């Protein structure tokens, strides 16, 4: 009898692109709705409903136990469809603090200071299309852009509504991307009077804090200012996005990266191509973390510092992501940062039929990377269109004064003094009744039971969590590949935050390396009362699966497995 001590089960994560029998014992060949942190398997963050994107504070009928469906509905003059939302962002208001906003495909903008809806749509000039929105906050101004639309701008302190880009911006010009850099507003992918300049970079005069929208200067011919524009002639495909990186600004096309650096002379900026390939999949597919860019590329996911590039997905999950990515929905892809949990969610629409929300119009899966522990996992997404990070403003009910469970309310019962949370990952999901998603919602993406927001996981979005390892040969433990092994007992190191939480452990085997395992032993395990699992499973290649439907946070750090070598046939 040999004891197989599996430790640091969260140390390697999910690796889908290598043959399972080539993986170390503590790696997993598949998994969903889990993360790997500090050597442990944990439940991934869940979706906690903060508010509806098309309602203000809801009117609650305590007698009926329901919300008034017509309370403060989205103004019908501005659309009224809960599936119109396409983007969620945030800006810092000097009075209201950090404020979440939602942008629709018809040009409507709604902000939620204190979770109460406030329309901020320009009074004229809105257009309808499904191109990706981008947002920048520069010098106290909030700027929004998307292809086919004249950009919006708003002085956050003084303006109640966005306006069409003002100053000397030409009324017939549009831009695809709005960003900020060193006090300049940057526009990428410009269209001038109906003519596309897909590799043009356009910058404003430097902005003073809280400049009026009418004070923008964009005309490169005006020698009184340093506004300018540049067409990157050697860029072979259109600009898809750009983002500041330290003292430089990186411009991304489909397959190239260019650096834009402040020159301090009459040119204002210099441009040069970076010496490595990569590009970007879509707008909003890059985030800066610890002075590096993490990029959802066209064919790979990589990190760079402006000097060198390194894939973080190749040989691990790259092939699965890009082989199953729905290219017809490429413009829905984005990257979300969860700085609390040290996670990056690379969000996309997958073609995999086994996805929990298969066939949705927007993102139904995230390849989730823990950049602190260098591990990958996968998470179900409930038809998500975008994400931001913000300090959520929680309008709290007084718990003793309500007659129903606080979890029924649109506002939250929170222990944070002052009604605010630390910076949260926030996502916007679109309703799809065919997938059980009855309403669009702005969600806090937060750990269950131990998270920052004292709200329950939204049950419509909650899916089971599991990890699976197949093809365990035990050759590194000295057992020959041709030998039959029998698993007789397993002793997990695990716990739930909730004592009622249970795991399902399944053990199986196969005789050939690439053969689908036959699971012949299945047991329910409660860490609060059980300590071992007895079984009898034999084969040349062993497999096991740990799953749970429980909402509570859990941890699995290790497991002892008793194995006996029977024969060598």
């Amino acid at each position: 009898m040999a004891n197989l001590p599996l430790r640091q089960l969260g140390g390697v994560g999910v690796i889908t692109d290598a043959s399972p029998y080539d993986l170390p014992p503590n790696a997993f060949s598949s998994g969903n709705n889990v993360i790997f942190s500090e050597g442990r398997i944990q439940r991934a963050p869940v979706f906690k409903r903060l508010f509806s994107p098309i309602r203000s504070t809801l009117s609650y009928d305590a007698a009926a136990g329901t919300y008034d469906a017509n309370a403060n509905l989205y103004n019908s003059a501005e659309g009224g469809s809960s599936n119109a939302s396409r983007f969620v962002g945030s800006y810092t208001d000097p009075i209201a603090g950090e404020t979440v906003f939602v942008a629709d495909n018809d040009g409507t903008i709604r902000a939620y200071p204190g979770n109460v809806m406030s329309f901020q749509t320009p009074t004229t000039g809105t257009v309808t299309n499904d191109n990706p929105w981008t947002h920048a906050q520069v010098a106290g101004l909030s700027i929004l852009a998307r292809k086919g639309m004249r950009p919006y701008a708003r002085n956050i302190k003084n303006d109640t509504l966005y306006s069409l880009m003002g100053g000397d911006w030409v009324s017939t010009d549009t831009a695809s991307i709005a960003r900020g850099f060193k006090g300049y507003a940057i526009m990428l992918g410009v269209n001038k009077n109906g003519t596309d300049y897909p590799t043009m970079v356009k910058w404003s005069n430097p902005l003073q804090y809280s400049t009026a929208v009418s004070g923008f200067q964009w005309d490169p011919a005006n020698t009184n200012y340093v506004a300018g524009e540049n067409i990157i002639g050697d860029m072979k495909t259109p600009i898809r996005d750009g983002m500041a990186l330290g003292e430089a600004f990186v411009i991304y096309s489909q397959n190239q990266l260019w650096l834009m650096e402040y020159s301090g002379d009459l040119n204002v900026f210099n441009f040069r191509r970076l010496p490595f390939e990569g590009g970007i999949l879509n707008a909003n597919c890059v985030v800066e973390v610890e002075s590096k860019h993490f990029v959802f590329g066209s064919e790979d996911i990589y990190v760079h510092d402006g000097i060198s590039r390194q894939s973080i997905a190749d040989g691990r999950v790259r092939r699965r992501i890009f082989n199953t990515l729905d290219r017809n929905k490429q413009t829905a892809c984005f990257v979300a940062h969860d700085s609390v949990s040290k996670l990056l969610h690379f969000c996309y629409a997958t073609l995999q039929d086994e996805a929990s929300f298969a066939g949705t119009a927007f993102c139904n899966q995230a390849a989730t990377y823990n950049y602190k522990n260098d591990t990958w996992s996968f998470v179900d997404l409930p038809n998500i269109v975008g994400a931001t990070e913000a300090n959520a403003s929680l309008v709290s009910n007084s718990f003793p004064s309500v007659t129903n469970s606080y979890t029924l309310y649109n506002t939250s019962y929170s222990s944070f003094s002052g009604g605010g949370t630390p910076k949260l990952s926030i996502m916007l999901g679109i309703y799809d009744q065919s997938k059980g998603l009855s309403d669009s919602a702005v969600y806090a993406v937060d750990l269950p039971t131990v998270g920052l927001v004292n709200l329950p996981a939204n049950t419509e979005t909650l899916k089971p969590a599991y990890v699976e390892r197949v093809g365990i040969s035990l050759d590194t433990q000295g057992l020959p590949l041709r030998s039959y092994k029998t698993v007789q007992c397993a002793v997990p190191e695990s716990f739930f935050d909730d004592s009622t939480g249970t795991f399902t452990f399944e053990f199986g085997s196969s005789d050939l390396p690439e053969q689908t395992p036959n699971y012949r032993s299945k047991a329910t395990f409660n860490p609060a009362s059980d300590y071992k699992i007895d079984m009898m499973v034999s084969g040349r290649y062993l497999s096991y699966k740990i799953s749970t439907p429980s909402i509570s946070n859990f941890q699995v750090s290790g497991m002892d497995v008793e194995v006996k070598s029977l024969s060598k046939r």
Side-chain angles (χ1 to χ4, degrees):
M1 184 76 68
N3 179 60
L4 174 61
L6 297 173
R7 298 294 184 267
Q8 290 284 311
L9 285 181
V12 178
V14 171
I15 299 178
T16 59
D17 292 358
S19 297
Y21 47 81
D22 289 331
L23 300 179
N26 60 336
F28 292 94
S29 47
S30 63
N32 206 31
N33 299 319
V34 298
I35 58 174
F36 302 92
S37 181
E38 298 177 346
R40 306 181 185 95
I41 311 165
Q42 301 180 39
R43 181 175 263 288
V46 296
F47 295 88
K48 300 179 179 181
R49 185 179 183 274
L50 290 175
F51 52 84
S52 166
I54 63 165
R55 292 180 175 88
S56 186
T57 304
L58 297 183
S59 178
Y60 186 74
D61 185 338
T66 60
Y67 292 117
D68 175 2
N70 296 313
N72 297 315
L73 280 173
Y74 182 177
N75 187 332
S76 60
E78 296 197 69
S81 174
S82 63
N83 68 357
S85 300
R86 292 294 182 270
F87 182 80
V88 62
S90 62
Y91 56 77
T92 303
D93 188 306
I95 298 174
E98 201 149 30
T99 299
V100 174
F101 71 89
V102 168
D104 287 2
N105 64 351
D106 65 359
T108 300
I109 309 296
R110 298 179 308 283
Y112 305 87
N115 288 1
V116 178
M117 184 170 60
S118 170
F119 284 98
Q120 297 181 353
T121 313
T123 56
T124 61
T126 60
V127 297
T128 298
N129 67 51
D130 278 321
N131 292 317
W133 289 88
T134 59
H135 176 252
Q137 183 170 342
V138 189
L141 294 125
S142 176
I143 305 172
L144 284 157
R146 60 177 171 160
K147 187 175 181 179
M149 184 191 82
R150 183 174 169 182
Y152 295 172
R154 174 173 168 256
N155 181 307
I156 298 171
K157 180 180 178 182
N158 298 326
D159 299 339
T160 57
L161 303 177
Y162 283 86
S163 304
L164 298 182
M165 178 58 71
D168 59 6
W169 181 275
V170 178
S171 62
T172 55
D173 292 355
T174 67
S176 299
I177 309 291
R179 298 298 181 211
F181 177 56
K182 287 187 173 292
Y184 294 83
I186 307 292
M187 294 295 175
L188 306 172
V190 177
N191 180 293
K192 302 181 77 171
N193 195 29
T195 301
D196 269 329
Y197 296 89
T199 64
M200 176 179 282
V201 181
K202 189 174 180 67
W203 61 90
S204 69
N205 202 54
L207 298 170
Q208 300 298 315
Y209 183 80
S210 201
T211 297
V213 174
S214 60
F216 271 95
Q217 300 295 331
W218 292 97
D219 185 2
N222 189 332
T223 57
N224 293 320
Y225 301 99
V226 294
E229 57 192 37
N230 181 53
I231 296 174
I232 305 177
D234 289 338
M235 185 176 280
K236 306 303 182 185
T237 55
I239 294 173
R240 287 183 172 174
D241 209 343
M243 179 173 285
L245 178 60
E247 293 300 307
F249 186 87
V250 183
I251 302 165
Y252 294 89
S253 73
Q254 177 183 339
N255 53 14
Q256 293 181 356
L257 293 81
W258 285 71
L259 210 62
M260 172 175 162
E261 298 171 292
Y262 185 68
S263 64
D265 56 24
L266 292 178
N267 293 322
V268 187
F269 294 107
N270 292 327
F271 297 81
R272 60 183 175 90
R273 184 177 173 180
L274 289 177
F276 48 83
E277 300 292 331
I280 199 167
L281 187 64
N282 186 39
N284 304 310
C285 279
V286 54
V287 296
E288 182 180 7
V289 180
E290 298 174 346
S291 300
K292 297 178 181 179
H293 278 187
F294 288 80
V295 187
F296 199 164
S298 299
E299 301 295 338
D300 197 2
I301 297 175
Y302 63 95
V303 60
H304 76 91
D305 57 5
I307 300 172
S308 62
R309 169 197 185 278
Q310 179 183 357
S311 173
I312 57 174
D314 193 36
R316 296 200 280 177
V317 295
R318 185 186 68 83
R319 189 165 64 244
R320 167 176 162 168
I321 293 168
F322 290 95
N323 283 355
T324 63
L325 187 152
D326 188 344
R327 296 283 180 172
N328 292 322
K329 300 174 183 176
Q330 180 173 309
T331 56
C333 298
F334 64 93
V335 181
H337 184 202
D338 182 343
S339 57
V340 173
S341 298
K342 309 301 182 187
L343 300 176
L344 294 172
H345 301 288
F346 296 87
C347 304
Y348 62 102
T350 181
L351 293 169
Q352 288 186 310
D353 291 336
E354 60 267 30
S356 295
F357 298 100
T360 54
F362 302 104
C363 294
N364 57 13
Q365 189 165 88
T368 297
Y369 179 66
N370 185 317
Y371 57 85
K372 180 181 178 182
N373 293 279
D374 187 30
T375 54
W376 282 99
S377 57
F378 291 88
V379 175
D380 287 316
L381 297 180
N383 206 21
I384 296 295
V385 297
T388 188
E389 276 201 303
N391 302 105
S393 177
L394 300 179
V395 182
S396 301
N397 289 313
S398 173
F399 186 73
S401 67
V402 300
T403 57
N404 292 72
S405 168
Y406 74 89
T407 61
L408 296 175
Y409 284 76
N410 190 47
T411 51
S412 62
Y413 172 70
S414 174
S415 60
F416 291 107
S417 62
T421 69
K423 196 173 285 287
L424 290 169
S425 178
I426 292 173
M427 291 189 182
L428 171 62
I430 305 303
Y431 87 91
D432 185 337
Q433 294 183 353
S434 69
K435 308 300 178 185
L437 302 169
S438 61
D439 191 17
S440 298
V442 175
Y443 301 106
V445 185
D446 192 27
L447 291 173
T449 63
V450 294
L452 297 171
V453 179
N454 200 2
L455 286 171
N458 182 283
T459 55
E460 293 181 347
T461 66
L462 191 70
K463 299 299 178 181
Y466 80 90
V467 290
E468 182 179 26
R469 174 60 194 275
V470 303
I472 304 174
S473 64
L474 297 182
D475 58 328
T476 57
Q477 281 70 41
L479 298 181
L481 292 177
R482 65 192 180 108
S483 68
Y484 258 64
K485 300 94 176 172
T486 297
V487 180
Q488 296 180 327
C489 176
V491 181
E493 292 180 322
S494 62
F495 75 88
F496 274 92
D497 291 330
D498 180 352
S499 61
T500 63
T502 60
F503 295 107
T504 298
F505 279 79
E506 298 176 72
F507 291 86
S509 65
S510 64
D511 288 345
L512 300 174
E514 300 292 344
Q515 193 174 43
T516 300
N518 180 17
Y519 284 97
R520 296 188 295 274
S521 175
K522 185 175 183 179
T524 300
F525 182 82
N526 186 336
S529 57
D530 303 327
Y531 84 94
K532 71 169 183 172
I533 303 161
D534 292 316
M535 76 205 76
M536 188 65 69
V537 174
S538 298
R540 290 193 179 92
Y541 294 88
L542 304 176
S543 304
Y544 72 92
K545 183 176 182 179
I546 308 171
S547 60
T548 179
S550 299
I551 297 175
S552 299
N553 189 53
F554 63 80
Q555 294 186 6
V556 182
S557 58
M559 181 167 58
D560 275 357
V561 181
E562 292 185 4
V563 182
K564 183 178 181 180
S565 179
L566 289 180
S567 61
K568 300 177 182 178
R569 292 185 289 173

